Amino acid sequence: MTRRRSPSRPSRHSRAPRRRDGNRGRGQLRIIGGEYRRRLLPVIDLPGLRPTPDRVRETLFNWLGPGLAGARVLDLFAGTGALGLEALSRGAHDATLVELDARASRALEDNLATLGITHARVVNADVMRFLDAEPTPHSLVFLDPPFRQDLAAACCAALEGGWLSDDASIYLETESTLAPEVPANWILHREVRAGDSTGRLYRRRPTGEDSPTEDAC
C-alpha cells in the first residue's frame, strides 16, 4: 500500500505523503518476510508513491500471524502493492490488487511477473466502481483510501456487500485525525500510529453475532 499527495487538487486515487522510515532508499520496495524475503522491487517515479514502511508492515504481519496462510486477499488503493505482495510472500492463497493509476497498475503487473507469482491479479479501476461489481468473499482486506476525501466510510460499508468472509480481517489506514466509521460488526483488534497516519486491524463478526470488543494496543 502507498501514500500519495498531489501538490494540486487530489484525484480520487491520490495519496497523502508517507515517511519512508525503514525502506531502503527511493524507488525500491523490499519484501520483508516469507518466500520472497529480501527481494527488492522497483517503485516507479510517481509523485508521492512510497511503499508502506518496513516497521509498519512488520507490525501488521505479526498481528496477522499464521492465520495469513491460505488467505484470499483484496488490496484496495494498492499503489506499490507493498501489503498485497507481502501477503502473497507469506502464504496467501491469492490476491486481487486494485489501483486506478494505469502506470502503477502496469508496475504491479511487472513486479508480479518478476517474482513469478501467478495466483494474483491487478485490476486497473476506481475502487468504488470495483466494489459495485459482483462480489467475491475475501478473508483479508487492505484498505488505504486517500486522505481527506471521505472515502473510508463508504469503502467500509461497500465491503459489507458480500466482499468479506464471515471471519475476515480488515486493515484500514487513515489520517490520524479521522475517527473512522466502520460497520458495527467490525471489532477493533489492534492499532498503530506512524507519522500522520493510523492503521487499525479489525476482525469481522457475522452480522447479528454477539462478540465482545477486543482491546486495542
Side-chain angles (χ1 to χ4, degrees):
M1 239 170 250
T2 311
R3 289 263 169 249
R4 294 188 205 137
R5 178 184 291 157
S6 168
S8 57
R9 186 177 63 183
S11 68
R12 283 181 61 82
H13 67 283
S14 62
R15 306 282 183 145
R18 180 192 288 287
R19 294 182 182 177
R20 290 165 37 234
D21 307 0
N23 290 315
R24 294 188 173 184
R26 185 184 181 111
Q28 286 187 323
L29 163 67
R30 182 174 71 117
I31 305 296
I32 57 176
E35 181 179 356
Y36 308 110
R37 184 181 181 189
R38 298 179 182 168
R39 292 288 296 272
L40 294 174
L41 299 169
V43 173
I44 61 172
D45 187 13
L46 289 176
L49 193 67
R50 299 290 183 273
T52 298
D54 287 6
R55 65 187 182 87
V56 175
R57 276 184 284 149
E58 189 82 57
T59 297
L60 171 59
F61 284 94
N62 283 341
W63 292 345
L64 293 170
L68 182 61
R72 302 202 68 182
V73 176
L74 182 59
D75 189 354
L76 301 175
F77 306 99
T80 64
L83 295 180
L85 292 171
E86 192 74 42
L88 289 164
S89 180
R90 294 173 184 246
H93 180 272
D94 59 62
T96 298
L97 297 88
V98 184
E99 169 58 43
L100 180 59
D101 191 284
R103 293 166 295 176
S105 293
R106 287 193 296 271
L108 285 170
E109 290 172 342
D110 290 345
N111 284 338
L112 288 172
T114 296
L115 295 173
I117 294 174
T118 58
H119 51 296
R121 65 178 180 132
V122 177
V123 178
N124 178 208
D126 175 87
V127 166
M128 291 306 298
R129 290 184 181 178
F130 173 83
L131 293 176
D132 279 339
E134 186 68 25
T136 301
H138 292 75
S139 53
L140 175 60
V141 176
F142 300 123
L143 177 57
D144 188 8
F147 285 2
R148 290 171 282 277
Q149 293 190 37
D150 298 323
L151 287 173
C155 288
C156 292
L159 285 170
E160 279 293 322
W163 290 100
L164 301 172
S165 62
D166 285 348
D167 58 350
S169 295
I170 307 98
Y171 176 73
L172 172 63
E173 194 161 327
T174 67
E175 60 269 40
S176 293
T177 55
L178 179 69
E181 297 178 21
V182 302
N185 58 322
W186 291 16
I187 309 303
L188 182 62
H189 178 62
R190 296 284 189 272
E191 65 179 18
V192 61
R193 182 166 179 168
D196 65 347
S197 67
T198 296
R200 296 174 175 89
L201 180 64
Y202 295 91
R203 307 289 196 191
R204 182 181 186 269
R205 297 293 179 265
T207 305
E209 179 179 308
D210 241 353
S211 187
T213 302
E214 299 183 41
D215 292 331
C217 66

